[in-house]
Amino acid sequence: LLAKTESELAKTTRKLERRSAALEATQVDLTQVKSALDRSKDTVTEHLRENLGLHSEVVQWTDKANALEGELAATAAARETAETLLAKTESELAKTTRKLEQRSAALEATQVDLTQVKSALDRSKDAATELLRERLGLHSEATALKGELA
């Protein structure tokens, strides 16, 4: 019975030694796994930090893009207003140009009329001057005749 117990004890001891070796190997493996997990955790943490930084940049660029969209909308509205004002100004300029052309034509017609009036006045002046000379001549003759008659 003692021999049998010693034999069982020897088997159990070998089993325990194998299990102890396996446990030590597992412990080394777990240490390596923990180390790998720590490195992986550090890498993931670094990636998260980078992603957070990138997210922050995306938010900033989005804010800038939104501001630029607002400026673009304001610029487009200002352009529409400017185009409307330009069209109105061009229309008013066309009306003013037509009025000036009409007034220029009327002025030219008036200028022709004034030239004709001046020419007529010059002829009338010449005729009046001629009549005055004739009357002056007649007056001189009448004065001379009056002097002869007296």
Side-chain angles (χ1 to χ4, degrees):
L1 185 62
L2 183 56
K4 189 177 177 184
T5 305
E6 285 178 351
S7 171
E8 289 288 325
L9 181 62
K11 285 181 186 175
T12 304
T13 302
R14 284 191 300 275
K15 282 183 182 177
L16 284 176
E17 287 173 352
R18 283 194 306 267
R19 288 183 180 169
S20 176
L23 184 58
E24 284 178 16
T26 304
Q27 190 174 2
V28 169
D29 288 346
L30 288 177
T31 303
Q32 291 171 351
V33 168
K34 183 182 181 308
S35 177
L37 283 174
D38 287 343
R39 287 191 306 273
S40 177
K41 177 184 161 191
D42 292 344
T43 302
V44 168
T45 302
E46 185 59 32
H47 284 308
L48 285 174
R49 284 188 183 127
E50 287 176 14
N51 286 344
L52 183 60
L54 291 174
H55 177 73
S56 177
E57 284 184 43
V58 167
V59 168
Q60 289 174 357
W61 283 107
T62 301
D63 291 345
K64 287 179 182 179
N66 289 338
L68 289 175
E69 283 178 355
E71 287 180 27
L72 181 60
T75 301
R79 181 180 179 179
E80 281 185 31
T81 301
E83 287 174 350
T84 301
L85 290 174
L86 179 61
K88 184 178 177 182
T89 301
E90 287 173 345
S91 173
E92 290 177 10
L93 179 61
K95 287 178 188 176
T96 303
T97 301
R98 284 192 298 276
K99 285 180 182 177
L100 285 175
E101 288 170 349
Q102 291 169 351
R103 288 180 182 169
S104 178
L107 183 60
E108 285 177 17
T110 303
Q111 190 173 5
V112 169
D113 290 346
L114 289 177
T115 302
Q116 291 171 350
V117 168
K118 183 181 181 307
S119 179
L121 282 174
D122 287 344
R123 286 192 306 273
S124 179
K125 177 181 154 191
D126 292 344
T129 301
E130 188 57 37
L131 282 174
L132 281 174
R133 283 188 188 135
E134 286 177 16
R135 286 194 181 174
L136 187 56
L138 289 173
H139 180 67
S140 293
E141 284 179 27
T143 303
L145 281 174
K146 194 176 180 184
E148 285 179 19
L149 291 174

